[in-house]
Amino acid sequence: MSSAVRFETVGLRYDAYGPEVLRDVDFTLPAGSFHFLTGASGAGKSSLLKLIYLGAAPSRGQVTVFGQETTRISPADRTSLRRRMGVVFHDFQLIDHLTAFDNAALPLRVAGQKPKAYSEDVQELLNWVGLGARIESYPPALSAGEKQRLAIARAVVGRPWLILADEPTGAVDDDMAVRILRLFVELNRLGATVLIATHDHELVGRSGMPSLHLDRGRLTQVPA
Ligand SMILES: Nc1ncnc2c1ncn2[C@@H]1O[C@H](COP(=O)(O)OP(=O)(O)OP(=O)(O)O)[C@@H](O)[C@H]1O
Ligand SMILES: [Mg+2]
């Protein structure tokens, strides 16, 4: 099976003289797989995701995403690779001056699709995450949980090959967390590779999906 993500002896330091926050990280996520990423606060979960979505470069080792070595990628390939990924950021990174609908539709708009072609899909997705009545609202007027659900909608709306989510259920109640998990599982069934960083051990246990576990920058549990 081809790999979606491959780390080979990856190390990451944010500062030349600072500590390595990821050390000797080695793993492969097969295309179409579903994994959680667990570990204590500060273990390096968000940093690992950042290396995959090209938000940082490894200090040593190699990160390969859909066959492309991320440190050697051309600017054009970088843009197209980035468009294949849907990322749910820990701090959501919504655009405050766009409505919920326009935030969710942004990846489609950037890809050149016309509102006529996507508006029904976007509405349906927003209904699914319980934001159907908030499509005209702006992010500053949304609760933390609503922002989180909007960030999830935006991440998945373009049917990305790879979904990376950083604690995507941290701000919602248990019922909504289960619903969001179902959405990710469904998208995985349709072919997306999924990696979700989480503290929610109950959600991990309930899902029956495998985990990678980070302990102070080292991977102590790798996918089978
Ligand atoms: N931009 C940065 N500059 C310097 N150090 C950073 C930066 N971002 C993270 N770190 C450090 O890297 C280490 C790993 O942080 P990271 O955010 O990846 O952990 P995490 O597992 O996502 O934690 P949490 O569960 O609290 O979100 C921490 O020691 C953190 O202080
Ligand atoms: Mg984090």
Side-chain angles (χ1 to χ4, degrees):
M1 195 185 286
S2 65
S3 69
V5 177
R6 190 181 171 93
F7 275 47
E8 292 163 283
T9 32
V10 167
L12 173 67
R13 327 176 174 268
Y14 284 101
D15 304 301
Y17 301 103
E20 268 199 325
V21 301
L22 291 174
R23 286 178 284 166
D24 296 326
V25 175
D26 263 297
F27 68 91
T28 300
L29 300 182
S33 62
F34 189 124
H35 292 90
F36 286 104
L37 174 62
T38 57
S41 178
K45 302 179 296 298
S46 299
S47 301
L48 188 151
L49 295 181
K50 201 182 277 185
L51 290 176
I52 302 174
Y53 65 74
L54 314 174
S59 316
R60 62 189 174 90
Q62 191 58 251
V63 175
T64 307
V65 183
F66 291 115
Q68 310 224 43
E69 290 185 7
T70 58
T71 45
R72 295 186 186 179
I73 199 166
S74 71
D77 286 347
R78 190 185 172 82
T79 304
S80 69
L81 182 60
R82 190 60 190 72
R83 283 192 190 159
R84 306 270 183 214
M85 301 187 213
V87 185
V88 183
F89 295 97
H90 194 224
D91 59 357
F92 316 137
Q93 301 198 11
L94 299 167
I95 298 175
D96 283 350
H97 65 269
L98 294 181
T99 62
F101 181 91
D102 287 337
N103 265 282
L106 198 60
L108 304 177
R109 202 162 156 178
V110 168
Q113 293 189 36
K114 297 273 172 280
K116 231 184 183 167
Y118 62 64
S119 64
E120 217 168 291
D121 284 355
V122 172
Q123 176 74 55
E124 196 182 321
L125 182 57
L126 288 171
N127 288 345
W128 173 264
V129 297
L131 291 176
R134 307 303 312 266
I135 61 167
E136 294 303 329
S137 301
Y138 291 86
L142 299 177
S143 74
E146 287 170 338
K147 284 182 198 161
Q148 185 154 49
R149 288 180 270 147
L150 179 55
I152 290 165
R154 183 185 58 185
V156 305
V157 75
R159 289 285 186 87
W161 292 357
L162 175 60
I163 296 170
L164 303 169
D166 200 349
E167 296 182 41
T169 58
V172 299
D173 60 48
D174 285 352
D175 289 349
M176 186 48 79
V178 169
R179 207 171 159 79
I180 287 169
L181 180 64
R182 273 174 56 199
L183 177 65
F184 288 136
V185 168
E186 185 55 33
L187 292 163
N188 174 245
R189 272 203 203 106
L190 293 171
T193 307
V194 177
L195 180 62
I196 302 176
T198 187
H199 282 128
D200 190 344
H201 292 287
E202 212 184 297
L203 196 72
V204 175
R206 205 160 27 189
S207 76
M209 295 297 191
S211 299
L212 287 80
H213 185 78
L214 275 172
D215 183 8
R216 286 162 290 177
R218 283 185 190 276
L219 215 48
T220 57
Q221 189 178 316
V222 291

